[in-house]
Amino acid sequence: MYRVVLASRKTVEWIGLLVVAFLFVFPFLWMASTAFKTMPEVRQFPPTLLPETWEWSNFAQAWESGPFLMFTWNSILVAVGILILQFLTAVPAAYAFARYKFPGRNLLFGLVLIVLMIPGQVIFLPIYVQLSGWGLVNTLWSLILPYAASAFGIFLLRQAFMQVPDEVIEAARLDNASEWKIMWTIMVPMAKPVLVTFGLFSFIYHWNDYFWPLIMTNSDEVRTLPIGISSLHMSDGGTLWNVMMAGNMILILPILVIFFVAQRHIIKAFIYQSK
Amino acid sequence: MFSLKKTGTILCALTIGLSGVLAGCGSSSKDQSASAGSTSQPAASTASSGPVQIDFWYALGGVRGKTIEDMVKKFNETHKDIIVKPAYQGAYQENHSKVLASVAAGNNPDVTMVEIASIAAFADAKVLEDLTPYSQGDEKKYIPGLMKNSYWNDKLYAVPFNRSTPLLYINRDMLKEAGLDSNGPKTWDELVSFSQKLSKKEGDKITRYGFSTPVDIWFYEALVFQGGGNILSENGKELTINNEAGKAPLELWSKMVKEGIMKNPPGENYNAWDVAEQDFLNQKVGMIFTSTGSLTELKKNAKFDMGAAFLPANKTFGTPTGGANLVMLAKSTDAEKKAAWEFMKWMTDTEQTVPWSIASGYMPVTTEAIDSAEMKAFYEKEPNFKVAVDQLQYGYPRPMAPGYKELQDVIQKELQRAMLGQATVDEAMQAATEKGSKLLKK
């Protein structure tokens, strides 16, 4: 009897989870399906779930509509460049906030937290003017430098560093380890799950970012994938949604791959966070 | 069709900051013309020898963006002393934001597209160059119906480029089947009676609507004009829709929706346009309002005899136009301005506007173009395109006021409130007027 109750409860749980999962996955499936349809089929009502004919040429059409190889390369440079700089700035900052006592610490950390709350759209104009003064607008630097320090990363890492037991650090100090060494060889490995989480957030955000690259760049040579994709969209009607969705598939492919590869880490990182 | 609202927040921030920032940026250092890469080179000297290089920002993606790039290429090949660098800058509103930011930073383009209802805001902010000394009467070549949004304080600031207008799209087969005139309704009364005959019910469920239109400011403007009204007073300082002509469109639409003969397509902004077009193609509605911009795509996908007609008349016919104009930036150097005018003139000449119109679905912009053999042959084959040009004789300018960009959002929100039954027509117009007058006084 008990076993039956348990089994049926499990079944209900599973069904519930499946429904939720479906809700999340459906838009992606819909995008994938649309990417393979012909335009009349996109318009058709009632809509078809799977394409009647598989129109692979949508992908070629999207890819050939602009210098997409260059866009992709730029996207990689920007997202990875930002990631590296953010690690280099966030780790020492977080270590200092977590482990040192110095005058003005709370005030400075408060400032970092305030940065978290200001949306980029509010401050883009002064930054634009500044970068333009330095002659950096329309270069990859204008996409990377403004994001070199991440308030979110500092905050997240500080919390992780604070959880490292004091004994570990003291033991290291007794062994004559320098602060630099403690930070990189003891703290960083212990905060690995958090670093992975933060790295993913940062990478996905900047990989997908549309607003900033659009504002800062004027020519294809320094533009990123999302702008290339958006140029598939027509302003005054007549957008080819199938080609547009094919472009989006190209855009999200690397992120999907990362998720598949790093799935275990991601789950671990989130569990770690919620502890 | 004009693209709005997507980046509303950005624009808000910009318009607030604009007046102050512009004042503080007297001297401009033009250094962004350099050809990208990871380094930006200092300004190519424009005064002395060598060709003049100018930047042209456009706001159309997809096939149309490609066509523009090809046109620019042709210009560069035929003009040895000028190099035009074209750049796609997102949709209209994104391009607007960028232009304003670049003017503030001193690396603005020399020519750009501006959506026609925003010309006043740009001209008022002194971002645009007065074209009168350059055009020297040349502007007479353009179709008068397309020039109404080109002036601000009696000065010429813009020339028409990619221009559209709303049309009534009809499913001729459906009309014939219902025993109706397959040329479509001519008046509001006919629109109602046609819609009644086209609508179908199965039990309590409506399976087919006679008519559908997005509740959008553009179509609302059209219907106000048709009732002899206007959105703004002559001096552009007051909102004049809290009257009979202003209320009539809402009364018509809400009456038709209540009767179950008009569908109010769900969705924010352009999603509603998509729904209306989708329903039309799938024969769930018999007639819709939408832009000339959709002619090619709808024609290609319609499995029925599709026609286009004038928007039905109330007291008169009436229609706004849409799309974008070309403008010149005030901060460019004299040499750049001379080159910029050369380019603007060329892009809108008959020789360019005819193939541009045929490729893009926008209207040709010169009177000469309409009479050209090529255009005539095209109209012979695609009479629907001719309807748009013919309707221009009843064209009105889109309201011209620096604050209209924000104001149109205010009005549209009130329109939707009234259509959804959250406010009566009187309340909605009252609220729009109150909020609107504050915006216009700014």
Side-chain angles (χ1 to χ4, degrees):
Chain A
M1 184 60 203
Y2 177 71
R3 204 173 269 172
V4 174
V5 171
L6 198 68
S8 63
R9 189 189 287 166
K10 270 266 184 276
T11 320
V12 171
E13 241 171 55
W14 270 96
I15 292 173
L17 286 175
L18 275 177
V19 168
V20 174
F22 182 74
L23 284 178
F24 273 95
V25 171
F26 185 74
F28 289 96
L29 292 181
W30 192 243
M31 170 175 65
S33 152
T34 305
F36 286 104
K37 287 177 182 175
T38 60
M39 205 46 210
E41 201 184 339
V42 171
R43 295 266 193 190
Q44 195 176 310
F45 190 90
T48 50
L49 207 54
L50 287 174
E52 281 160 5
T53 49
W54 293 75
E55 196 78 4
W56 286 91
S57 62
N58 293 340
F59 287 84
Q61 203 181 333
W63 186 261
E64 279 159 14
S65 72
F68 269 70
L69 201 63
M70 189 149 61
F71 292 149
T72 312
W73 177 236
N74 288 338
S75 276
I76 293 171
L77 279 183
V78 170
V80 173
I82 289 174
L83 198 60
I84 292 171
L85 284 179
Q86 285 182 340
F87 275 147
L88 290 181
T89 53
V91 168
Y95 183 58
F97 278 128
R99 288 294 166 179
Y100 290 153
K101 287 207 165 59
F102 53 90
R105 182 178 77 158
N106 290 339
L107 181 75
L108 286 174
F109 190 64
L111 283 177
V112 170
L113 289 184
I114 286 175
V115 174
L116 269 180
M117 296 161 204
I118 301 176
Q121 278 83 349
V122 176
I123 48 168
F124 86 90
L125 197 55
I127 295 181
Y128 182 91
V129 173
Q130 195 178 14
L131 287 171
S132 163
W134 294 343
L136 290 182
V137 170
N138 203 31
T139 66
L140 290 177
W141 289 114
S142 66
L143 306 185
I144 297 172
L145 284 182
Y147 291 103
S150 161
F152 177 63
I154 295 173
F155 172 72
L156 214 60
L157 273 175
R158 172 183 172 265
Q159 304 306 105
F161 287 165
M162 280 168 71
Q163 284 170 18
V164 177
D166 286 336
E167 293 80 11
V168 177
I169 296 170
E170 271 158 30
R173 283 196 181 129
L174 282 177
D175 286 339
N176 270 337
S178 67
E179 289 299 301
W180 191 253
K181 201 165 176 196
I182 293 174
M183 186 169 78
W184 289 110
T185 57
I186 296 174
M187 300 301 263
V188 168
M190 291 188 87
K192 199 173 142 202
V194 176
L195 279 172
V196 172
T197 316
F198 168 64
L200 281 169
F201 271 122
S202 167
F203 185 85
I204 292 168
Y205 179 86
H206 295 290
W207 183 265
N208 288 335
D209 193 16
Y210 172 70
F211 174 76
W212 199 265
L214 180 74
I215 294 290
M216 293 296 157
T217 61
N218 298 324
S219 46
D220 283 348
E221 287 87 346
V222 288
R223 286 192 153 165
T224 54
L225 262 182
I227 300 179
I229 308 287
S230 97
S231 71
L232 298 171
H233 190 273
M234 305 225 235
S235 294
D236 285 355
T239 294
L240 300 169
W241 293 108
N242 48 353
V243 176
M244 183 100 198
M245 290 306 134
N248 279 317
M249 288 291 286
I250 295 171
L251 177 70
I252 66 159
L253 207 65
I255 291 180
L256 283 183
V257 169
I258 291 175
F259 266 118
F260 275 117
V261 173
Q263 206 172 24
R264 213 161 35 89
H265 286 288
I266 297 166
I267 292 169
K268 221 164 58 183
F270 278 100
I271 293 169
Y272 182 89
Q273 277 303 296
S274 55
K275 251 185 203 163
Chain B
M1 200 197 282
F2 50 96
S3 174
L4 319 163
K5 289 157 287 198
K6 263 186 203 152
T7 35
T9 15
I10 304 162
L11 266 190
C12 260
L14 263 175
T15 24
I16 294 164
L18 179 67
S19 41
V21 177
L22 282 182
C25 297
S27 68
S28 73
S29 63
K30 287 220 60 190
D31 57 2
Q32 271 355 103
S33 45
S35 72
S38 292
T39 53
S40 94
Q41 300 150 11
S45 67
T46 45
S48 56
S49 60
V52 182
Q53 182 166 308
I54 59 171
D55 288 305
F56 165 52
W57 288 4
Y58 65 92
L60 292 173
V63 186
R64 295 188 186 123
K66 274 249 141 65
T67 313
I68 290 181
E69 294 269 348
D70 289 344
M71 288 167 82
V72 173
K73 208 183 271 165
K74 198 171 153 207
F75 177 85
N76 285 335
E77 278 161 12
T78 51
H79 294 73
K80 290 288 167 242
D81 49 341
I82 303 171
I83 299 171
V84 179
K85 290 214 64 180
Y88 169 71
Q89 304 290 15
Y92 295 138
Q93 292 298 12
E94 289 155 348
N95 183 44
H96 291 182
S97 310
K98 276 208 71 163
V99 170
L100 293 181
S102 69
V103 168
N107 53 17
N108 53 280
D110 305 287
V111 180
T112 183
M113 281 169 54
V114 170
E115 195 273 312
I116 59 168
S118 304
I119 302 265
F122 277 77
D124 199 59
K126 311 232 179 325
V127 171
L128 305 185
E129 176 75 7
D130 174 11
L131 297 177
T132 324
Y134 298 92
S135 71
Q136 311 258 8
D138 246 9
E139 70 271 17
K140 290 194 186 72
K141 72 176 178 183
Y142 300 113
I143 300 168
L146 294 177
M147 288 300 281
K148 292 175 179 173
N149 282 95
S150 287
Y151 295 90
W152 179 245
N153 289 340
D154 295 326
K155 283 184 181 151
L156 178 71
Y157 281 106
V159 294
F161 178 59
N162 61 308
R163 298 296 295 276
S164 54
T165 186
L167 289 175
L168 175 73
Y169 285 67
I170 48 180
N171 182 333
R172 287 219 167 92
D173 289 345
M174 205 188 276
L175 265 64
K176 270 183 213 147
E177 192 191 276
L180 296 162
D181 178 0
S182 65
N183 288 320
K186 298 274 179 297
T187 63
W188 285 19
D189 289 340
E190 279 181 22
L191 180 73
V192 173
S193 64
F194 275 46
S195 298
Q196 285 164 340
K197 290 200 182 102
L198 292 174
S199 298
K200 266 189 187 162
K201 255 185 177 180
E202 268 169 33
D204 277 345
K205 218 171 141 248
I206 301 164
T207 52
R208 193 169 86 183
Y209 291 88
F211 175 63
S212 177
T213 176
V215 179
D216 190 280
I217 183 76
W218 207 35
F219 304 118
Y220 174 75
E221 281 170 17
L223 268 66
V224 172
F225 300 149
Q226 289 157 11
N230 219 326
I231 306 286
L232 297 178
S233 60
E234 195 76 31
N235 61 12
K237 297 256 191 278
E238 266 162 88
L239 194 57
T240 54
I241 54 172
N242 196 5
N243 52 34
E244 196 198 331
K247 288 172 190 170
L250 269 180
E251 278 157 3
L252 173 76
W253 285 344
S254 42
K255 193 186 80 186
M256 288 177 77
V257 168
K258 238 176 247 155
E259 212 184 313
I261 57 173
M262 166 179 155
K263 179 173 172 183
N264 180 6
E268 279 275 300
N269 304 333
Y270 281 116
N271 292 338
W273 295 60
D274 278 342
V275 172
E277 291 184 6
Q278 204 97 344
D279 285 341
F280 181 65
L281 283 180
N282 290 311
Q283 315 210 41
K284 301 269 168 200
V285 301
M287 307 178 284
I288 58 167
F289 285 169
T290 196
S291 161
T292 37
S294 300
L295 267 174
T296 319
E297 188 60 24
L298 289 185
K299 172 97 188 178
K300 205 164 72 190
N301 287 301
K303 296 191 186 90
F304 50 85
D305 183 7
M306 188 194 88
F310 286 10
L311 302 180
N314 183 10
K315 285 181 181 147
T316 63
F317 286 110
T319 180
T321 56
N325 286 346
L326 293 182
V327 299
M328 190 193 293
L329 279 287
K331 276 185 145 195
S332 300
T333 65
D334 285 346
E336 287 165 343
K337 282 176 188 167
K338 248 183 86 197
W341 172 253
E342 200 58 39
F343 176 63
M344 293 164 75
K345 199 174 80 178
W346 187 88
M347 285 291 274
T348 54
D349 263 345
T350 304
E351 242 173 89
Q352 275 64 245
T353 199
V354 168
W356 165 243
S357 169
I358 291 171
S360 68
Y362 288 109
M363 292 184 280
V365 295
T366 66
T367 34
E368 200 185 51
I370 292 175
D371 298 327
S372 69
E374 214 183 337
M375 217 60 224
K376 276 192 171 142
F378 178 68
Y379 287 148
E380 190 82 26
K381 214 172 74 199
E382 303 281 352
N384 289 334
F385 282 86
K386 185 76 170 27
V387 175
V389 176
D390 288 342
Q391 194 182 216
L392 280 182
Q393 56 184 304
Y394 304 106
Y396 289 77
R398 293 208 63 209
M400 292 285 270
Y404 193 65
K405 251 186 320 186
E406 289 82 31
L407 182 57
Q408 63 184 8
D409 289 349
V410 170
I411 300 174
Q412 186 156 323
K413 262 199 198 101
E414 293 303 327
L415 296 179
Q416 267 147 1
R417 259 170 25 99
M419 290 301 291
L420 295 173
Q422 294 164 346
T424 65
V425 172
D426 288 342
E427 282 164 6
M429 288 298 111
Q430 184 67 35
T433 311
E434 275 166 24
K435 287 181 204 158
S437 56
K438 270 184 216 148
L439 275 174
L440 288 170
K441 279 201 187 88
K442 259 189 200 165

